[in-house]
Amino acid sequence: MAALLPWLSALPAEVLAATPRPQQRILVLVKLAGGNDGLNTLVPYTDPLYYQARPTLGIPKHQVLDIGESYGLNPYLKALKPWWDKGNMAWVQGVGYPQGSLSHFRSLDIWETAVDASNYSDTGWLGSLLPGCKPGLHGIAIGDSAVPITGKNCNTIAMQSPQSFLSQISLLEDIQPVTTNPVLAHLTNVHHQLYAAGEQLSKKLQHPAALGVNFSSSGFGRELESVAKMILTGVDATVYMVTLDGFDTHSNQAGVQSNLLYQLAGGLDSFAQAMQRGGRWNDVMLMTYSEFGRRVQENNAKGTDHGTASVQLVMGGKVRGGIYGDKPDLSHLDGEGNLSHSVDFRKVYGTVAQQWLKQASPWKPFGTLPFV
């Protein structure tokens, strides 16, 4: 059954069902699949070159939600403005990597494994970090994507929803691992751990915590609601992952991205409220990522093509609000009309590793940022 990823290592049921540690820090990854346009998310609305490059797509100045430093939020992110005002939201701009790939698949692979553009890996960027955080269950991904939290010793569950996972797991009977045959040992270990993880989730989610917050009925809203319930009910995982798809806006970008950012803002606002009401807001950090940004110049289809550097959003009770990274220089683009990155994405990952998860950073040469 594909609900449990095959690299889950052997752990007894009592370890997988461990009681969450007090003040356990949690990371929630939000994947913006397709390549979100950073310039129309965090808008450099005081730069005339922005409007020259985007005569129809540029966000009108009177609609931008000013947040200082010559930037404004896309108006469809209005639900997040109070969290900015509280100092619980940070933007990292100009995020990318050298020799940026414009292929969805390759660039996403680079982002999710944190390798150089010339290298490949089958371990997610969190795969080597999470085993050091605690024993037991390390990550839960809702949807089809779980690459960042995969690794040899990383215990990860991938599911379409908690409900579907529990309905599938109820059909399983436990199998005790065998040791006589390496292949059979692996299969029986995975099966046993799947059963044990299902037991933990089933026990916890029989009586889920009351959130006291209304979430959107969209798929994205339901995924975040499920994550909030698991966190507040005490499921023992360090990382959760959800996906909002549809950001490949080659045409008619205004309407498509507006709708997606509206979903994003509404979902994150509800999630943050739920964490605050449940007393876990200081223990949770939420971070978005996307495989790349979009080209600066709008195209003839009123959209934008694949680009390079973009922005990342970070939220949480312990996040130091602000704008990090250099302002995008629209006067100095590369040969294809793309922004140059000013922050290597591994600097962001190093910050998460070192400052949030309290693990040794594999990306020390890139340094850290003070957003947490």
Side-chain angles (χ1 to χ4, degrees), residues 124-144:
W125 72 271
L126 286 160
S128 60
L129 296 177
L130 292 177
C133 293
K134 68 174 189 67
L137 183 60
H138 295 128
I140 295 177
I142 301 180
D144 297 324

Side-chain angles (χ1 to χ4, degrees), residues 179-196:
T179 58
T180 54
N181 179 290
V183 174
L184 190 57
H186 173 73
L187 292 175
T188 54
N189 281 339
V190 168
H191 187 106
H192 177 64
Q193 292 153 40
L194 177 57
Y195 180 84

Side-chain angles (χ1 to χ4, degrees), residues 86-202:
K86 291 177 185 178
N88 290 165
M89 188 167 79
W91 290 96
V92 186
Q93 59 184 348
V95 186
Y97 57 91
Q99 300 173 324
S101 172
L102 300 184
S103 160
H104 287 290
F105 304 105
R106 180 58 188 141
S107 192
L108 192 58
D109 182 57
I110 292 167
W111 267 86
E112 294 189 328
T113 61
V115 296
D116 292 328
S118 58
N119 293 325
Y120 293 83
S121 175
D122 57 4
T123 299
W125 72 271
L126 286 160
S128 60
L129 296 177
L130 292 177
C133 293
K134 68 174 189 67
L137 183 60
H138 295 128
I140 295 177
I142 301 180
D144 297 324
S145 180
V147 174
I149 49 178
T150 61
K152 182 180 178 182
N153 297 310
C154 193
N155 306 314
T156 297
I157 297 172
M159 62 178 73
Q160 290 302 312
S161 70
Q163 294 76 22
S164 65
F165 177 78
L166 293 178
S167 67
Q168 293 172 343
I169 207 71
S170 66
L171 303 175
L172 285 184
E173 293 183 2
D174 196 12
I175 295 177
Q176 292 303 312
V178 300
T179 58
T180 54
N181 179 290
V183 174
L184 190 57
H186 173 73
L187 292 175
T188 54
N189 281 339
V190 168
H191 187 106
H192 177 64
Q193 292 153 40
L194 177 57
Y195 180 84
E199 285 285 290
Q200 181 197 160
L201 287 178
S202 180

Side-chain angles (χ1 to χ4, degrees), residues 76-321:
Y76 287 90
L77 294 174
K78 182 179 179 180
L80 296 181
K81 181 64 161 53
W83 299 100
W84 170 265
D85 294 337
K86 291 177 185 178
N88 290 165
M89 188 167 79
W91 290 96
V92 186
Q93 59 184 348
V95 186
Y97 57 91
Q99 300 173 324
S101 172
L102 300 184
S103 160
H104 287 290
F105 304 105
R106 180 58 188 141
S107 192
L108 192 58
D109 182 57
I110 292 167
W111 267 86
E112 294 189 328
T113 61
V115 296
D116 292 328
S118 58
N119 293 325
Y120 293 83
S121 175
D122 57 4
T123 299
W125 72 271
L126 286 160
S128 60
L129 296 177
L130 292 177
C133 293
K134 68 174 189 67
L137 183 60
H138 295 128
I140 295 177
I142 301 180
D144 297 324
S145 180
V147 174
I149 49 178
T150 61
K152 182 180 178 182
N153 297 310
C154 193
N155 306 314
T156 297
I157 297 172
M159 62 178 73
Q160 290 302 312
S161 70
Q163 294 76 22
S164 65
F165 177 78
L166 293 178
S167 67
Q168 293 172 343
I169 207 71
S170 66
L171 303 175
L172 285 184
E173 293 183 2
D174 196 12
I175 295 177
Q176 292 303 312
V178 300
T179 58
T180 54
N181 179 290
V183 174
L184 190 57
H186 173 73
L187 292 175
T188 54
N189 281 339
V190 168
H191 187 106
H192 177 64
Q193 292 153 40
L194 177 57
Y195 180 84
E199 285 285 290
Q200 181 197 160
L201 287 178
S202 180
K203 182 178 179 180
K204 296 288 186 182
L205 295 180
Q206 280 179 4
H207 304 286
L211 301 182
V213 175
N214 292 323
F215 280 77
S216 164
S217 61
S218 68
F220 180 68
R222 289 195 298 270
E223 288 184 6
L224 280 175
E225 183 176 20
S226 294
V227 171
K229 284 182 179 179
M230 285 189 280
I231 291 173
L232 296 184
T233 303
V235 173
D236 187 31
T238 303
V239 178
Y240 294 84
M241 183 174 173
V242 297
T243 299
L244 180 59
D245 202 352
F247 286 93
D248 196 17
T249 50
H250 287 282
S251 62
N252 302 314
Q253 175 175 304
V256 175
Q257 192 193 28
S258 295
N259 177 56
L260 290 169
L261 293 182
Y262 180 78
Q263 289 186 56
L264 177 68
L268 298 189
D269 176 44
S270 295
F271 179 83
Q273 288 186 53
M275 291 300 101
Q276 194 168 60
R277 287 174 62 93
R280 298 302 305 271
W281 187 224
N282 286 345
D283 305 324
V284 173
M285 186 168 74
L286 183 149
M287 183 174 73
T288 67
Y289 75 97
S290 196
E291 61 261 46
F292 42 58
R294 315 298 295 186
R295 195 153 296 169
V296 175
Q297 184 77 41
E298 66 177 64
N299 61 30
N300 293 329
K302 296 186 178 180
T304 52
D305 298 320
H306 298 178
T308 50
S310 192
V311 297
Q312 283 184 271
L313 168 63
V314 186
M315 291 178 64
K318 291 293 187 181
V319 168
R320 296 188 181 101

Side-chain angles (χ1 to χ4, degrees), residues 37-43 50 54 57-59 74 253 257 261:
D37 179 18
L39 288 176
N40 274 19
T41 302
L42 181 65
V43 186
Y50 166 73
R54 299 181 170 203
L57 285 185
I59 307 298
N74 185 295
Q253 175 175 304
Q257 192 193 28
L261 293 182

